[in-house]
Amino acid sequence: MATSPPADTLADRILAWQADHGRHDLPWQQPRTPYRVWVSEVMLQQTQVATVIPYFERFIASFPDPIALANSDDDTLPAHWSGLGYYRRARHMQSAARVIRDVHDGQVPDTLDDLLVLPGIGRTT
């Protein structure tokens, strides 16, 4: 196990702790893409990691990228979300994926301002 260099700020200490002791084997970490992280963050809102893992894996198998999610019909998505609750999260993700498809050429935006205008994304997502 690699040891992190000395940390100067609280953020540096937290990141160093995570590098040494944090989880690195979650399905959204391999491969880590903005889309996979976004999906996991939305699924993990008020839902435990152990519960999310099988949902995430099935979701990504059906919707591997924002374009696939954007192109899905309104009846398919709820079936993939069933059991996670808070269905508004899924509807917002689909709406955001459509914006990503139509405005950002299918790529999750990489600026805070562009992310914040997507449906369902706020400063804590």
Side-chain angles (χ1 to χ4, degrees):
M1 182 181 307
T3 304
S4 299
D8 298 319
T9 66
L10 176 60
D12 291 332
R13 292 193 303 269
I14 291 169
L15 291 171
W17 182 93
Q18 199 282 332
D20 290 342
H21 306 289
R23 297 170 85 170
H24 302 282
D25 60 347
L26 297 168
W28 43 87
Q29 295 173 318
Q30 306 300 327
R32 185 180 305 223
T33 67
Y35 175 70
R36 292 168 66 93
V37 170
W38 171 44
V39 170
S40 71
E41 288 294 324
V42 173
M43 287 185 167
L44 288 164
Q45 293 170 0
Q46 302 183 23
T47 309
Q48 295 180 358
V49 170
T51 301
V52 166
I53 290 173
Y55 283 93
F56 177 84
E57 291 171 337
R58 286 190 301 268
F59 191 91
I60 290 297
S62 294
F63 313 112
D65 55 50
I67 294 173
L69 178 56
N71 292 341
S72 66
D73 63 64
D74 293 340
D75 296 327
T76 303
L77 185 60
H80 285 78
W81 202 267
S82 181
L84 282 175
Y86 305 99
Y87 290 92
R88 181 190 290 182
R89 294 182 294 176
R91 289 190 299 274
H92 281 312
M93 282 182 50
Q94 186 179 43
S95 296
R98 289 176 175 159
V99 173
I100 290 168
R101 177 194 63 199
D102 298 343
V103 176
H104 300 284
D105 298 321
Q107 301 298 311
V108 175
D110 61 1
T111 68
L112 181 60
D113 290 340
D114 286 339
L115 287 169
L116 289 175
V117 299
L118 296 175
I121 293 188
R123 296 189 73 78
T124 60
T125 302

